[in-house]
Amino acid sequence: MPSAAQRAEDCLVIIWISGPTGSGKSTLAGLMGGTGYRVIREELPRDLFQAFRRDPAQHCASLQEAIILSRATQWRIAAGRKNVVFDRSVDEDIAIFCKMHHERGLLDYSAYARLRFLAENIIADLPKPDLVIYLSPRLDVLTNRVIDVGHPRLIVDNLERQVALYEEWFRGRNGAAIRIDNSACDRRTLKSLFRLAAEHHS
């Protein structure tokens, strides 16, 4: 059976859509999914996420592991698809979210090291992106979005640190990448643009 990395050679385009919570990644990924891209996203057990909301320190490690493994599982079943878009990457999971949770005391050293080991092994079997699309709206816009959606207070309170880690991560990347400040671009506008593009293409 070919490895995930070997299967990546059969894909035409691999895109990562990256950015902090509330930046619009999932919206953009969903719209790209409507144009034929296979979307790789985290699939979380609802009960685990609710448990994390109630007791972040107790369930943080389990939640982060589930997120990382869900991306790997989604990639394994994407074999044969010519265009694949990742709604956030495992690289971001470990370099930003696990690091942030470790800094905040939600992951002890042992749990953090175990998650890094898991992520590094999975990353070795995942494709390198042909393009990274980094969505980076202003912090005030992000804050309003995550509050409106109802994200846990933990996410809101740590949003500024999350953005700082994203900036550090993006500056350190090599390869093709574009940064988009979509502060003034809402979901309705994006949908309209994709609809117009599809009509033009047809």
Side-chain angles (χ1 to χ4, degrees), residues 13-16 86 89 126-133 173-176:
V13 176
I14 302 289
I15 295 176
W16 290 3
F86 281 75
S89 64
L126 291 174
K128 301 294 184 184
D130 297 293
L131 176 67
V132 174
I133 301 175
R173 286 207 55 80
N174 296 315

Side-chain angles (χ1 to χ4, degrees), residues 29-194:
L31 290 169
M32 293 181 71
T35 68
Y37 278 82
R38 174 60 182 263
V39 181
I40 307 297
R41 63 186 59 181
E42 59 199 51
E43 293 187 345
L44 300 179
R46 182 173 177 82
D47 289 348
L48 180 56
F49 184 69
Q50 293 303 321
F52 172 75
R53 292 181 69 120
R54 291 192 300 271
D55 190 345
Q58 179 68 28
H59 299 284
C60 186
S62 297
L63 179 66
Q64 293 304 311
E65 181 175 355
I67 289 171
I68 292 169
L69 291 174
S70 71
R71 298 194 207 284
T73 299
Q74 287 295 300
W75 168 248
R76 283 195 294 270
I77 63 177
R81 297 300 291 265
K82 292 299 183 183
N83 300 292
V84 176
V85 59
F86 281 75
D87 179 0
R88 189 174 281 147
S89 64
V90 175
D91 202 46
E92 294 159 76
D93 290 330
I94 197 67
I96 293 149
F97 289 89
C98 289
K99 182 176 181 178
M100 180 177 68
H101 293 322
H102 176 56
E103 290 175 351
R104 298 300 188 256
L106 299 180
L107 292 173
D108 62 23
Y109 179 81
S110 177
Y112 183 41
R114 181 175 59 81
L115 287 167
R116 288 185 64 179
F117 180 78
L118 172 66
E120 287 166 2
N121 279 278
I122 289 174
I123 288 169
D125 197 40
L126 291 174
K128 301 294 184 184
D130 297 293
L131 176 67
V132 174
I133 301 175
Y134 174 41
L135 302 180
S136 60
R138 297 190 316 271
L139 180 60
D140 63 308
V141 173
L142 284 173
T143 302
N144 288 335
R145 288 178 183 176
V146 298
I147 290 174
D148 288 346
V149 171
H151 279 290
R153 190 70 213 177
L154 175 71
I155 299 296
V156 180
D157 291 344
N158 290 289
L159 196 54
E160 186 172 359
R161 180 55 180 156
Q162 186 189 145
V163 170
L165 287 171
Y166 256 108
E167 289 295 317
E168 179 183 319
W169 173 82
F170 186 70
R171 286 195 303 268
R173 286 207 55 80
N174 296 315
I178 57 174
R179 175 199 294 266
I180 300 174
D181 180 347
N182 59 328
S183 300
C185 185
D186 59 19
R187 182 176 302 185
R188 181 178 302 176
T189 302
L190 271 178
K191 287 183 176 180
S192 297
L193 288 172
F194 269 78

